[in-house]
């Protein structure tokens, strides 16, 4: 059974400007905590099949590939490491969804995941992991809002490179 954690923020930009930033697959280190940089994989730079490798402050990396794309509405990325699912997950996806609300943009960030480890994994998710993911999803949304509105990186890890 998968877990799903979502949060919403209002971005003080029109939908078109928010979409122009969101679809730029290279901007994530400016708002995703602990990312230092990213590299696009060969292939498309946007749309289904666009893929990147993001590098974390601790030296680890994660691959993210777009599996669903809706122009000016958002996309879903599969989180993986090479050909395998990113540990500790059995499966993991991250969705960015936007919609116009007047002259602003409502952004919803959602992580859907299932931990490996059977019953033990489910217990860990309920007791601890879900709280960690909830904090991360909320932080990404808040940082994204700040970066989109100010143009200044909202991720301290970007300043340590």
């Amino acid at each position: 059974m998968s877990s799903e954690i979502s949060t919403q923020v209002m971005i003080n930009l029109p939908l078109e400007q928010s979409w122009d930033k969101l679809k730029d697959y290279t901007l994530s280190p400016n708002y995703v905590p602990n990312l230092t940089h990213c590299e696009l994989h060969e292939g498309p730079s946007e749309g289904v099949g666009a893929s990147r490798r993001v590098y974390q402050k601790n030296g680890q990396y994660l691959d993210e590939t777009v599996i669903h794309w809706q122009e000016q509405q958002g996309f879903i990325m599969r989180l993986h490491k090479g050909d395998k699912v990113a540990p500790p997950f059995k499966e993991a996806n991250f969705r960015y969804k936007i919609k116009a609300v007047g002259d602003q943009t409502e952004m919803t960030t959602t992580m859907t995941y299932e931990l490996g480890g059977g019953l033990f994994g489910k217990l860990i998710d309920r007791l601890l992991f879900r709280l960690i993911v909830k904090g991360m999803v909320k932080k990404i949304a808040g940082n994204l809002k700040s970066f989109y509105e100010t143009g200044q990186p909202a991720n301290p890890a970007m300043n340590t490179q």
Side-chain angles (χ1 to χ4, degrees), residues 54 65 146:
V54 294
T65 301
S146 176

Side-chain angles (χ1 to χ4, degrees), residues 88-91 114-125:
F89 302 107
K90 188 173 177 182
E91 70 174 71
E114 184 175 350
L115 289 180
L119 192 54
F120 181 71
K122 288 180 178 148
L123 181 62
I124 293 297
D125 185 37

Side-chain angles (χ1 to χ4, degrees), residues 40-112:
L40 294 179
H41 289 127
E42 287 190 30
S45 60
E46 64 180 49
V48 172
S51 187
R52 66 185 173 200
R53 178 164 286 175
V54 294
Y55 294 89
Q56 301 167 345
K57 190 175 177 179
N58 64 7
Q60 296 292 314
Y61 71 87
L62 181 69
D63 296 313
E64 301 174 333
T65 301
V66 175
I67 59 172
H68 181 75
W69 181 273
Q70 290 183 282
E71 193 71 23
Q72 293 202 11
Q73 294 179 42
F75 52 86
I76 301 172
M77 303 178 302
R78 179 175 65 94
L79 309 180
H80 56 103
K81 198 163 191 174
D83 293 335
K84 300 184 189 289
V85 176
F89 302 107
K90 188 173 177 182
E91 70 174 71
N93 296 310
F94 201 90
R95 180 178 68 215
Y96 292 93
K97 182 179 174 186
I98 59 174
K99 72 176 187 177
V101 177
D103 59 353
Q104 296 182 316
T105 303
E106 179 183 270
M107 166 75 71
T108 304
T109 54
T110 304
M111 181 149 177
T112 305

